[in-house]
C-alpha cells in the first residue's frame, strides 16, 4: 500500500533523485514514501528549481510499480496523482481546487502543489515510476515565477503537515486502485477538475500566442482544445502551453 514503508530524511538534494538512486541500488517496494524536511536541490517540471520552506511544506516522493502499464497510457499516473492531491486538499476544507493540465494543482488561479513524475520504461511498459509532490502547506507558497498560494493562506490557519500527508497518502492509495483498475471514474473526475475547461484562454502553440478553449484530455494525455475558427485538435506539451496568466 502507498505509505506503508516510509524513509524520512532531514535534508536531501531531491527526494525524486534519492528515490531514483535507491531504485538503481536495490528493490524498492511499491508505495515506499521518501519524505524530506528540506530539499537543497528540489526539481520541478522542465528542470526548474522547486523551493519550499523546511518544516513548513511537504516535499516527498513515492515509488510506484504500475504492473504492466502500457507506456502509451502513462498519463494515468499524472491523473491519479493530481486528483489525489485535489481530494486531500478538498477534505481539508480548501475550496475551488482545480488541476491545470497536465498536473499542477491550483486554488483559483494560484498554484498550491507541483507534481513531477519520472517513469522508467522497458519494452513499451512502465517498469517503475517516481512520483514527486511538493505541496505548499504553511509557507507563503513561493513558486518560481508563478502565482502561488499555500494551504495556510487559503484556510487562514496553520495546518499540521503530518495530518495532511496522512490524508494525502490515503487518497493516493484510493486513486491508485482506480488508476490500475477501471479508469472511467478517474478520467471523468479529471475532466471535471480541469482548470479553464470551456474558457477561452491565452495559450502558446508552437511558440506563437493563440486563444484556445481546453475541453478535455485524450488517453495519451494530450489536451483537446477548440481553436478560434472552430477546429478541435489534441496537442501535447511539446506544442501547447498555457500562456502567461
Ligand atoms: C512542478 O514543477 O510543478 C513540479 C514540482 C515537484 C516538486 C517535488 S518536491 C518533491 C519531489 N522532489 C523534487 O525534487 N521534486 C519533487
Amino acid at each position: 500500500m502507498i505509505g506503508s514503508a516510509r524513509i524520512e530524511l532531514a535534508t536531501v538534494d531531491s527526494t525524486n533523485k534519492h528515490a531514483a538512486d535507491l531504485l538503481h541500488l536495490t528493490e524498492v517496494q511499491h508505495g515506499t514514501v521518501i519524505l524530506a524536511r528540506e530539499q537543497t536541490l528540489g526539481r520541478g517540471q522542465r528542470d526548474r528549481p522547486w523551493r519550499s520552506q523546511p518544516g513548513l511544506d511537504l516535499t516527498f516522493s513515492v515509488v510506484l510499480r504500475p504492473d504492466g502499464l502500457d507506456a502509451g497510457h502513462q498519463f494515468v499516473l499524472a491523473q491519479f496523482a493530481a486528483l489525489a492531491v485535489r481530494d486531500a486538499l478538498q477534505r481539508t476544507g480548501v475550496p475551488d481546487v482545480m488541476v491545470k493540465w497536465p498536473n499542477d494543482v491550483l486554488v483559483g488561479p494560484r498554484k498550491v502543489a507541483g507534481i513531477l513524475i519520472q517513469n522508467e520504461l522497458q519494452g513499451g511498459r512502465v517498469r517503475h515510476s517516481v512520483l514527486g509532490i511538493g505541496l505548499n502547506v504553511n509557507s507563503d507558497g513561493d513558486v518560481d515565477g508563478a502565482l502561488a498560494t499555500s494551504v495556510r493562506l487559503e484556510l487562514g490557519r496553520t495546518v499540521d503537515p503530518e495530518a495532511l500527508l496522512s490524508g494525502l497518502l490515503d487518497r493516493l492509495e484510493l486513486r491508485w486502485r482506480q488508476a490500475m483498475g477501471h479508469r472511467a471514474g478517474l478520467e471523468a473526475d479529471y475532466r471535471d477538475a480541469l482548470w479553464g475547461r470551456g474558457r477561452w484562454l491565452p495559450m502558446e502553440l508552437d511558440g506563437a500566442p493563440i486563444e484556445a478553449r481546453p475541453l478535455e484530455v485524450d488517453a495519451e494525455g494530450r489536451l483537446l482544445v477548440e481553436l478560434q475558427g472552430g477546429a478541435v485538435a489534441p496537442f501535447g506539451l511539446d506544442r501547447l502551453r498555457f500562456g502567461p496568466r
Side-chain angles (χ1 to χ4, degrees):
M1 294 228 323
I2 291 179
S4 50
R6 218 201 255 201
I7 299 170
E8 295 193 14
L9 305 164
T11 304
V12 72
D13 46 4
S14 148
T15 56
N16 265 40
K17 181 171 178 303
H18 192 81
D21 291 347
L22 277 182
L23 279 160
H24 282 123
L25 291 173
T26 172
E27 272 289 304
V28 185
Q29 86 183 46
H30 166 81
T32 300
V33 169
I34 295 145
L35 174 73
R37 190 176 176 281
E38 177 182 37
Q39 289 190 127
T40 53
L41 261 180
R43 285 283 139 214
Q45 293 154 24
R46 293 192 287 279
D47 215 28
R48 293 202 187 119
W50 180 266
R51 293 192 191 90
S52 31
Q53 292 282 306
L56 296 184
D57 295 323
L58 281 172
T59 48
F60 68 99
S61 302
V62 186
V63 172
L64 301 168
R65 296 186 177 276
D67 249 357
L69 178 69
D70 194 289
H73 291 147
Q74 55 188 294
F75 187 67
V76 73
L77 300 173
Q79 288 177 310
F80 119 88
L83 286 174
V85 173
R86 180 177 190 250
D87 293 346
L89 291 175
Q90 284 181 326
R91 286 166 163 252
T92 312
V94 181
D96 196 20
V97 189
M98 302 300 273
V99 178
K100 189 175 176 194
W101 176 79
N103 54 11
D104 282 349
V105 183
L106 306 192
V107 181
R110 294 174 186 277
K111 181 159 166 170
V112 69
I115 292 172
L116 180 65
I117 300 174
Q118 295 174 298
N119 295 327
E120 185 154 316
L121 308 181
Q122 190 177 47
R125 312 225 161 250
V126 180
R127 188 158 162 248
H128 55 239
S129 176
V130 175
L131 158 66
I133 298 180
L135 174 58
N136 300 330
V137 184
N138 288 317
S139 68
D140 290 333
D142 168 31
V143 175
D144 256 22
L147 271 178
T149 189
S150 70
V151 178
R152 175 180 63 80
L153 290 176
E154 294 304 320
L155 293 181
R157 61 175 168 86
T158 55
V159 170
D160 176 11
E162 181 56 42
L164 195 51
L165 175 65
S166 146
L168 176 48
L169 294 176
D170 288 349
R171 296 309 298 182
L172 281 166
E173 177 60 29
L174 209 127
R175 290 288 187 181
W176 179 256
R177 289 183 198 177
Q178 240 183 342
M180 294 300 113
H182 183 60
R183 291 185 200 132
L186 193 80
E187 285 162 0
D189 289 349
Y190 186 86
R191 195 169 44 246
D192 289 345
L194 196 59
W195 181 83
R197 187 160 72 103
R199 292 202 327 250
W200 288 102
L201 296 171
M203 302 192 91
E204 264 184 26
L205 181 60
D206 298 329
I210 59 159
E211 291 256 316
R213 233 152 61 101
L215 301 175
E216 57 179 312
V217 293
D218 67 12
E220 282 103 72
R222 295 174 304 180
L223 187 67
L224 212 66
V225 293
E226 182 181 342
L227 302 169
Q228 278 177 333
V232 173
F235 297 102
L237 267 182
D238 53 336
R239 299 195 56 195
L240 189 73
R241 295 271 157 86
F242 281 100
R245 279 177 277 158

